[in-house]
Amino acid sequence: MGVTSRTQALELELERLLGPPTAKILSRELGITTAGGLLNHFPRRYVERGALSDLESLPHDELVTVVARVVRASTRKMHHRKGFLTEVEVADEGEGSQGTLAVSFFNSRKAMNELLPGARVMLAGRVGVYRHQQTLSHPDFEVLPEDHALDEADLGPVPIYPATGSLPSWRIRKAVDTLLRLDLLDGVADPLPAEVLRAERLMGLDEAYGVIHAPLDLIEAEGARRRFRFQEAFQLQTALAIRRAERMARPSSPRPPRAGGLLEAFDARLPFTLTDGQIGVGAEISTELGQPHPMNRLLQGEVGSGKTVVALRAMLQVVDAGGQVAFLAPTEVLADQHFRSLSRLLGPLGEAGQLGAPETACSIAQLTGSMPSTAKKKVLLDIASGAVDIVVGTHALLSDMVQFAELGLLVVDEQHRFGVGQRDALRTRSGTAPHVLVMTATPIPRTLAMTVFGDLEVSTLDELPEGRLPLATHVAALHEHPGWEDRLWWRSREEIDAGRQVFVVCPRIGDESDAGPGGDASTASVTETMARLGEHPALAGIRIEALHGALGPEEKDAVMSGFASGAIPLVVATTVVEVGVDVPNATLMVVLDADRFGVAQLHQLRGRVGRGVHQGTCLLVTRLPQDHPARQRLDVVATTSIGTLLAEFDVAQRKEGDILGSSQSGTASTLRLLRVVRDAPLIEQARQAARRIVDADPLLRNHPVLAGIVAGLDDERKDYLERG
């Protein structure tokens, strides 16, 4: 069969193959309408027959799978949190067995609706102990039909599918079995090239589909899953390899370093010594800037690791070589912070045109949407004439009104906050492609960068500047220690009395709009916290100001300026302070309802304190009980200071799944099995294999099936692939 036959086989409608009733429920519950969609709805795990645990002999702190009967079930509101807790007791089905197990679920309507007394259920989770009773907290579960046997000796492991309350796993399995018996894929062309299958020792397509849905044993099942994980990684890496090759083929003006120029003058006046990491990454960037094809590099680093200095040195090299630099920031607050930071680092070297400026000085300007029209027009004229060497701005830089004399470098900060079209508006504006440096303070595991940012080279700064003390992070668990809440504010007063400053961070501002319909009015807000702290005796006489996204630019600027100067000792803020805020005298951060933030976000927030010579402390405040799943995130943040390790945990917890979208198409790759942290070696193998294929056959003329898949990526997926 050719490409067309393969496409037709996978896109056959389920209504024709399985009948209207089955097709209707698959479409309604899972959005699956085609043969390819159902075949690619892989089991999430398998239960090996005979491996079911007896409730009387469950091993503590190990993963178990049990089949039991629901004895009791109840749901109640939680005392200290918005939401509800479903508590279930299950008992062994075996004759004479006395084993029972307590099972709890937080805010699970599925558990509340399905785990009713008398129900027969399969549960899978980690065994814990609470009040001398063995427990499972928020386990996976599946309600089984009464006639669903689990002990047939002649069958392999039981596949457990992602399911819904109206469409249990066993019904999905039955539909898949029916589809497999039709032999739809007999002779269908494999999307993996034959040489790749041989080199990686992978199953063929037809065999892999049969095995993954009906394995003889767990070893065979893992072989099929590896094949599909590799396929997902390979198809993505092929698309990235093609885009990388296309970009490398575009011409760009070389910007090599110049002796006796601005960069040398800047290095000579630096009041500190660059870290080994800054020197090494700077050398990589410098070399790439001197090439006749565009640099496309991602620069990530721990909070406070000195990314701005590395980026500025790259900017100065480009200016020395006659090019202009555009520094794109996602918000006006961040653009203003960057403009001030660059101006402070440059000093007189950034004052070209002013009396007394050094001969080598450059000109730096700012362009934001809120600037007065007269000032904006002057900056636009200076950019177009080449009078401005470095311009720092927001989305205003993307306007068609902005014309560069010679754009040599585009620096994008926190790039994930910009759409692909927005970034390309600058990158494609000049005749030759500018070099691109993408910066992020959000830790990205190497494997995630390799998968999503696969066409960028990645540099990581993981050293802190000399003299910086490590940050102390603690969980303030008010559920177990309610008296600690008062202590938070006396602790804040101690820092202020010592001449230092405090951040208090809240999940929301406090007006009605951010509490509903998706919000939660029970979480801490800036408005409510401001009122409460204004009346607390610990903070009597202390100036407290609010900082959040609803304030106007002038109000934000006034608060930030006051905080930076030390005039404001305590700021109550939202996550507007997550990046770009640099106040070395701030040493304490109190994050209220910290469980409402992600791991990476908490790491970024705490990076705002301890940036000077004094010890920094971050207190993660939560009212959740110790066995709540969200508490694990806080414990990990409190015990781990390495951002990339936290990011790996975050990615693994969120189960990143289909990085490129949720299409059920049988012809385009969706990441159903690939996990970028777990599968790092496999992704590297896939990347090498994809680059070999693309280097030998850039247009994939000899691989029409693969070419069809890559070409079939929809616009949303192409946006993901063009993250650079």
Side-chain angles (χ1 to χ4, degrees), residues 42-64:
F42 298 133
R44 61 179 175 172
R45 59 186 181 85
Y46 303 87
V47 175
E48 196 168 12
R49 298 181 190 279
L52 300 175
S53 302
D54 186 332
L55 295 188
E56 287 187 305
S57 57
L58 294 180
H60 177 62
D61 199 34
E62 290 189 18
L63 292 170
V64 300

Side-chain angles (χ1 to χ4, degrees), residues 492 496 502 504 533 539 542-545 563 568-572:
S492 299
I496 294 169
V502 178
V504 177
L533 298 190
L539 298 171
I542 298 298
R543 182 181 173 188
I544 303 172
E545 296 289 349
F563 195 62
I568 301 173
L570 190 150
V571 164
V572 181

Side-chain angles (χ1 to χ4, degrees), residues 290-330:
Q291 302 302 311
H293 49 74
M295 178 181 75
N296 208 35
R297 184 166 286 274
L298 171 67
L299 174 61
Q300 64 169 342
E302 293 292 341
V303 174
S305 59
K307 294 182 298 297
T308 303
V309 171
V310 172
L312 180 53
R313 294 184 73 249
M315 296 181 212
L316 299 183
Q317 178 173 325
V318 170
V319 172
D320 273 340
Q324 292 172 288
V325 178
F327 192 149
L328 188 59

Side-chain angles (χ1 to χ4, degrees), residues 370-385:
S370 65
M371 287 175 64
S373 58
T374 304
K376 191 181 297 184
K377 286 178 182 177
K378 183 182 185 308
V379 173
L380 289 172
L381 287 172
D382 288 343
I383 294 172
S385 69

Side-chain angles (χ1 to χ4, degrees), residues 278-360:
Q278 288 174 315
I279 293 170
V281 171
E284 288 177 340
I285 293 173
S286 178
T287 299
E288 286 193 325
L289 290 174
Q291 302 302 311
H293 49 74
M295 178 181 75
N296 208 35
R297 184 166 286 274
L298 171 67
L299 174 61
Q300 64 169 342
E302 293 292 341
V303 174
S305 59
K307 294 182 298 297
T308 303
V309 171
V310 172
L312 180 53
R313 294 184 73 249
M315 296 181 212
L316 299 183
Q317 178 173 325
V318 170
V319 172
D320 273 340
Q324 292 172 288
V325 178
F327 192 149
L328 188 59
T331 66
E332 291 204 3
V333 169
L334 196 49
D336 189 55
Q337 287 282 327
H338 280 309
F339 178 72
R340 292 184 183 193
S341 178
L342 296 181
S343 299
R344 185 174 66 251
L345 285 167
L346 285 169
L349 293 176
E351 299 173 353
Q354 299 183 32
L355 286 174
E359 187 177 335
T360 54

Side-chain angles (χ1 to χ4, degrees), residues 46-221:
Y46 303 87
V47 175
E48 196 168 12
R49 298 181 190 279
L52 300 175
S53 302
D54 186 332
L55 295 188
E56 287 187 305
S57 57
L58 294 180
H60 177 62
D61 199 34
E62 290 189 18
L63 292 170
V64 300
T65 301
V66 300
V67 172
R69 186 77 63 175
V70 176
V71 178
R72 279 183 290 276
S74 63
T75 298
R76 59 178 174 81
K77 288 185 177 179
M78 288 187 279
H79 296 307
H80 301 290
R81 266 330 258 183
K82 185 176 182 180
F84 57 90
L85 177 69
T86 298
E87 297 174 305
V88 178
E89 183 182 353
V90 299
D92 264 329
E93 288 192 301
E95 292 185 13
S97 175
Q98 301 298 313
T100 62
L101 185 64
V103 190
S104 58
F105 300 87
F106 296 92
N107 297 323
S108 172
R109 296 197 178 278
K110 184 174 187 289
M112 181 177 68
N113 294 332
E114 296 184 18
L115 296 182
L116 304 176
R120 186 168 179 250
V121 62
M122 179 186 292
L123 301 149
R126 188 174 297 276
V127 179
V129 176
Y130 182 67
R131 293 181 178 175
H132 308 293
Q133 164 81 44
Q134 286 195 310
T135 65
L136 292 180
S137 181
H138 224 80
D140 290 333
F141 74 89
E142 178 185 355
V143 175
L144 302 174
E146 291 299 320
D147 60 352
H148 188 71
L150 288 164
D151 56 355
E152 299 96 325
D154 58 335
L155 294 178
V158 181
I160 305 298
Y161 290 90
T164 70
S166 302
L167 183 61
S169 176
W170 65 270
R171 288 193 64 181
I172 298 172
R173 180 187 174 201
K174 187 175 179 181
V176 172
D177 288 345
T178 301
L179 200 61
L180 290 173
R181 286 195 293 270
L182 298 177
D183 292 328
L184 292 175
L185 298 178
D186 187 25
V188 167
D190 198 310
L192 289 179
E195 60 264 44
V196 173
L197 288 172
R198 287 193 300 270
E200 301 297 332
R201 299 180 180 178
L202 300 172
M203 294 181 187
L205 182 68
D206 195 4
E207 179 189 6
Y209 273 127
V211 170
I212 200 168
H213 290 292
L216 294 177
D217 54 46
L218 294 180
I219 295 176
E220 188 181 57

